Amino acid sequence: STRATIIDPQGNRYDGDVNAFMATGYGALRMANGELFEGEFKSNRRHGLGIATAPDGKKTFGRWENGDHKGLD
């Protein structure tokens, strides 16, 4: 995979591994609302292990599947 930065029209910024212009592999997604997700991605979705940090600093750890948080492993 290749490392790249992707910024979408809403101002969300992804820095990390990409494949076929999609977030795939390890990266960090900073949302325009201040949320940060650091972890694994597959086809532009949170998929695998990661940490989500809300704008207020609350952290959610665990495993994601196709963008949905599935809990801790």
Side-chain angles (χ1 to χ4, degrees), residues 1 7-9 13-16 18 21-22 24 26 28 31 40 44 47-49 51-54 56 59 69-70:
S1 65
I7 302 172
D8 70 16
R13 177 188 174 115
Y14 173 80
D15 293 290
V18 297
F21 302 103
M22 298 177 78
T24 300
Y26 185 84
M31 306 292 288
E40 298 173 310
N44 281 345
H47 191 87
L49 298 177
I51 302 169
T53 306
D56 66 4
K59 294 186 184 295
H69 185 244
K70 296 297 183 180

Side-chain angles (χ1 to χ4, degrees), residues 6 8 11-16 23 27-32 34-39 41 44-46 51 53:
I6 300 169
D8 70 16
N12 303 315
R13 177 188 174 115
Y14 173 80
D15 293 290
L29 174 64
R30 183 169 302 278
M31 306 292 288
E35 180 183 352
L36 172 66
F37 177 80
E38 296 177 275
F41 290 82
N44 281 345
R45 293 179 176 241
R46 300 169 191 196
I51 302 169
T53 306

